[in-house]
């Protein structure tokens, strides 16, 4: 079915939404990842809208949605509350299925924790650790330092941020399109030109600033010398504010399908975006060593929480990076349908 777009005024902000499917069909909400927008779901919406009512919003300050400061001290709750406000505005009161990609996985986990009666089932696609991004170790998300050094707004590559702000469409090493090619998917995977430019548009629609992406930062006496601020997406993902271990305490927790790529470099037990891992590889100077600053086992942490919650299915796609729905679309659609049907 044809996808339509519109702005929906909710009680929290004006939200840009992609929609498709029969309004009376079961609702599936698609929540995108960081430095992206709902445009990354275009093909998936087309494939699934014959069976489901698809709703795919953009985050605040991302894509076509209104710019509103992200209160990082609430973890991912500003984002998840925005989704609930959208459901309210659309007069959807029954429990819905939600698919969260990357940081979107943290958003749908938070929604399930705070609003369990609104959730039927969850699909986590390359979902982030329930203990935030960076700065923790062990399966229980033990903080590596008291001030959560090495997490938050200061962890984003400043050259990448500058290029995002400038709308850079070149292919230098730190450019958005190079990041798309090398990290959003497994290196070697290629998009056709039109599709790649559409996804690049979605990345470039990210609002840059302390209020949205990447967020503000503070200095730290601990390596690597920076810590989380209080606003923006990357701070909302800091373990200083984000701890979703309580998902395992839900009674009952919703059934979960977890799909991830075996070659994911973003969410991984050896993530190339974890400053501890980069320090270990010599990419960031002054690394104090594995004993002082271990890498974060992101995948293992998520698995541990899901095992504690109960019913979940983990599917690992070989020859796949951070975006199974883009890299193996037919298999992904089949697995989603099998789970939801």
């Amino acid at each position: 079915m044809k996808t339509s777009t519109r702005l929906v005024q909710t009680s929290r902000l004006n939200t840009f939404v992609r929609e498709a499917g029969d309004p009376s069909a079961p609702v599936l909400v698609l929540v995108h990842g960081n430095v992206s927008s709902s445009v990354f779901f275009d093909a998936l919406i087309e494939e699934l809208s014959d069976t489901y009512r698809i709703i795919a919003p953009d985050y605040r300050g991302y894509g076509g949605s209104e710019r509103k400061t992200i209160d990082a001290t609430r973890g991912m709750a500003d984002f998840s509350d925005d989704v609930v406000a959208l459901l309210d505005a659309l007069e959807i009161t029954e429990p819905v299925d939600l698919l969260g990609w990357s940081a979107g996985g943290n958003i749908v986990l938070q929604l399930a924790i705070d609003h369990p009666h609104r959730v039927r089932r969850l699909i986590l696609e390359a979902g982030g650790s329930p203990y935030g991004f960076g700065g923790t170790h062990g399966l229980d998300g033990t903080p590596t330092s008291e001030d959560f050094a090495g997490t938050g707004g200061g962890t984003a590559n400043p050259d990448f941020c500058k290029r995002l702000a400038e709308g850079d469409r070149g292919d230098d090493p730190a450019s958005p399109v190079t990041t798309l090619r090398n990290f959003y998917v497994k290196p070697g995977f290629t998009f056709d030109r039109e599709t790649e430019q559409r996804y690049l548009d979605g990345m470039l629609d990210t609002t840059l600033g302390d209020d949205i992406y990447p967020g503000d930062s503070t200095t730290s006496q601990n390596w690597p010398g920076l810590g989380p601020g209080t606003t923006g997406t990357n701070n909302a993902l800091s373990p200083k504010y984000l701890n979703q271990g309580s998902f395992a305490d839900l009674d009952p927790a919703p059934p979960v399908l977890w799909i991830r790529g075996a070659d994911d470099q973003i969410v991984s037990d050896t993530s190339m975006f974890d400053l501890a891992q980069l320090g270990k590889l010599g990419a960031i100077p002054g690394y104090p060593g594995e004993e002082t600053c271990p890498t974060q086992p992101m995948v293992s942490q998520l698995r541990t929480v899901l095992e504690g919650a109960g019913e979940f299915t983990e599917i690992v796609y070989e020859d796949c990076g951070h975006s199974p729905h883009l890299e193996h679309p037919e298999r992904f659609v089949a697995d989603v349908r099998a789970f939801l049907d």
Side-chain angles (χ1 to χ4, degrees):
M1 290 189 178
K2 185 178 179 181
T3 301
S4 63
T5 63
R6 60 170 166 154
L7 283 166
V8 177
Q9 182 63 58
T10 77
S11 59
R12 293 174 58 79
L13 76 155
N14 212 4
T15 302
F16 182 87
V17 184
R18 283 179 165 80
E19 297 174 283
D22 185 337
S24 65
V27 175
L28 173 61
V29 181
L30 308 180
V31 185
H32 65 81
N34 200 1
V35 194
S36 66
S37 76
S38 58
V39 72
F40 279 80
F41 288 131
D42 267 356
L44 185 62
I45 293 171
E46 185 175 338
E47 288 294 326
L48 292 174
S49 59
D50 63 334
T51 308
Y52 309 101
R53 178 185 179 184
I54 307 295
I55 298 169
D58 290 344
Y59 297 176
R60 56 174 59 202
Y62 288 67
S65 287
E66 179 183 357
R67 179 175 185 166
K68 270 202 167 183
T69 298
I70 298 160
D71 180 359
T73 66
R74 304 186 67 226
M76 301 305 280
D78 258 1
F79 297 112
S80 56
D81 285 352
D82 288 346
V83 174
V84 171
L86 174 62
L87 295 175
D88 288 342
L90 297 176
E91 299 183 343
I92 298 172
T93 58
E94 295 297 315
V96 300
D97 298 318
L98 297 111
L99 183 155
W101 171 42
S102 190
N106 293 104
I107 292 172
V108 301
L109 281 177
Q110 194 65 50
L111 199 154
I113 292 168
D114 294 339
H115 309 276
H117 62 289
R118 307 300 292 263
V119 178
R120 185 165 58 168
R121 291 165 295 196
L122 296 181
I123 301 167
L124 305 180
E125 180 191 2
S129 167
Y131 301 113
F133 203 97
T136 69
H137 62 277
L139 298 181
D140 61 351
T142 301
T144 298
S145 64
E146 290 185 358
D147 63 354
F148 299 91
T151 71
T155 63
N157 182 333
D159 192 14
F160 173 73
C161 292
K162 178 175 180 291
R163 291 169 183 272
L164 268 184
E166 294 172 347
D168 182 359
R169 308 189 78 89
D171 55 5
D172 290 340
S175 72
V177 76
T178 299
T179 301
L180 172 65
R181 293 169 180 168
N182 290 342
F183 294 102
Y184 283 40
V185 293
K186 181 180 178 180
F189 180 88
T190 57
F191 301 102
D192 65 71
R193 173 72 176 174
E194 181 182 349
T195 299
E196 182 176 85
Q197 292 301 304
R198 195 165 69 247
Y199 294 157
L200 178 58
D201 289 341
M203 297 175 71
L204 295 177
D205 281 341
T206 303
T207 300
L208 274 290
D210 288 350
D211 56 333
I212 305 293
Y213 178 84
D216 60 344
S217 64
T218 57
T219 58
S220 172
Q221 294 183 345
N222 297 307
W223 185 88
L226 57 88
T230 60
T231 56
T233 307
N234 284 18
N235 289 311
L237 288 166
S238 167
K240 181 175 182 178
Y241 310 116
L242 184 65
N243 184 329
Q244 298 176 320
S246 60
F247 180 78
D249 299 327
L250 293 177
D251 186 19
V256 175
L257 172 64
W258 175 23
I259 301 176
R260 62 181 183 87
D263 305 300
D264 193 339
Q265 299 181 83
I266 297 178
V267 175
S268 166
D269 284 359
T270 54
S271 170
M272 295 302 291
F273 288 75
D274 179 359
L275 298 195
Q277 174 68 9
L278 293 175
K280 185 177 180 180
L281 296 174
I284 300 177
Y287 178 60
E290 182 77 16
E291 185 174 335
T292 300
C293 194
T295 55
Q296 180 187 13
M298 302 177 184
V299 170
S300 299
Q301 288 175 344
L302 177 54
R303 184 181 298 112
T304 299
V305 169
L306 293 180
E307 287 173 344
E311 184 183 346
F312 83 100
T313 300
E314 177 182 358
I315 303 177
V316 182
Y317 289 9
E318 299 299 326
D319 193 31
C320 182
H322 190 59
S323 307
H325 78 285
L326 303 179
E327 298 170 77
H328 297 275
E330 292 182 6
R331 180 182 179 186
F332 188 83
V333 167
D335 286 336
V336 167
R337 285 189 183 278
F339 174 68
L340 295 181
D341 291 346

